[in-house]
Amino acid sequence: MYVPKHFAAGDGVVRDLLVNHGAGNLVTNTADGLLATLLPFIYDRTVGEHGALLGHVARNNEQWKAPALGESLAIVAGPDVYISPSAYVAKAEHGRVVPTWNYVTAHVYGQLVVHDDPAWIEDVVRRLTTKHEAAFEQQWSVDDAPAAFVAGQLRAIVGLELVISRIEAKAKLSQNRSDADVDGVIASLEERGELASADAVRAANRRS
């Protein structure tokens, strides 16, 4: 990934993205070419030197069956949004501005491990459920479903673990613009209802 110095994502940004993301695209290089699946992950910092992303795919998904050649890649995306030149004070001052795209993303590389163990898979399913049900007032639990039904569902999926070897991350959030232009970007995003992107720009430029 091309990451200019002023767009390099700090450790805190990367950690927040991996802990709080919903899902990522898992890409593996196989003898049959590239395979990709969008799937939810749990970030487990206790695995290895850099942690691991844990998830699962359908047993019928060919990706887990095809051995990965070398490193695999998970692409995790944060907020992203179009930025119009009209948001910049500089547009009125000299007009030398162009559209751009603001975004936060992490390319997570590592060794892919397949887990066809019901206990391992159930643990990941429960952790994923706990993570995402936390947003609901009435939280659903795996135990709310009949045990035989759950067992059948678990047999239909396979666990995946991406043991992280390196992370390349980028937070392109108007850090190369003037203070006045950053203020304009934040105001434009808030007016458009793009609050997550507005908050990200504010945080990246240390604004309160």
Side-chain angles (χ1 to χ4, degrees), residues 55-119:
H56 60 81
V57 293
R59 185 170 293 277
N60 290 334
N61 188 322
E62 293 295 324
Q63 188 169 9
W64 75 270
K65 303 175 186 178
L69 305 177
E71 286 184 317
S72 296
L73 167 66
I75 302 174
V76 183
D80 69 281
V81 70
Y82 172 78
I83 303 298
S84 169
S86 299
Y88 300 143
V89 172
K91 175 181 179 293
E93 293 177 343
H94 51 67
R96 297 189 299 275
V97 291
V98 294
T100 192
W101 204 273
N102 274 7
Y103 57 90
V104 180
T105 189
H107 290 182
V108 184
Y109 297 86
Q111 296 301 314
L112 188 65
V113 180
V114 175
H115 293 273
D116 199 3
D117 170 17

Side-chain angles (χ1 to χ4, degrees), residues 148-168:
F149 172 77
V150 171
Q153 294 295 298
L154 292 174
R155 287 194 295 271
I157 59 178
V158 176
L160 295 178
E161 177 181 25
L162 184 67
V163 181
I164 300 171
S165 55
R166 58 193 175 97
I167 299 174
E168 297 177 353

Side-chain angles (χ1 to χ4, degrees), residues 6-7 14 16 18 27 50 82 91 95 97 100 106 109 128 161 164 175 177 179 191 194 197 200 203:
H6 48 275
F7 293 147
V14 174
D16 182 69
L18 296 185
V27 183
H50 303 291
Y82 172 78
K91 175 181 179 293
V97 291
T100 192
Y109 297 86
L128 281 166
E161 177 181 25
I164 300 171
Q175 299 97 317
R177 305 303 309 183
D179 287 350
E191 183 178 354
E194 298 284 358
S197 289

Side-chain angles (χ1 to χ4, degrees), residues 125 129-130 133-134 136 138-145 149-150:
V125 168
T129 302
T130 298
E133 285 290 327
F136 295 89
Q138 294 185 344
Q139 298 176 16
W140 182 85
S141 166
V142 172
D143 296 320
D144 290 341
F149 172 77
V150 171

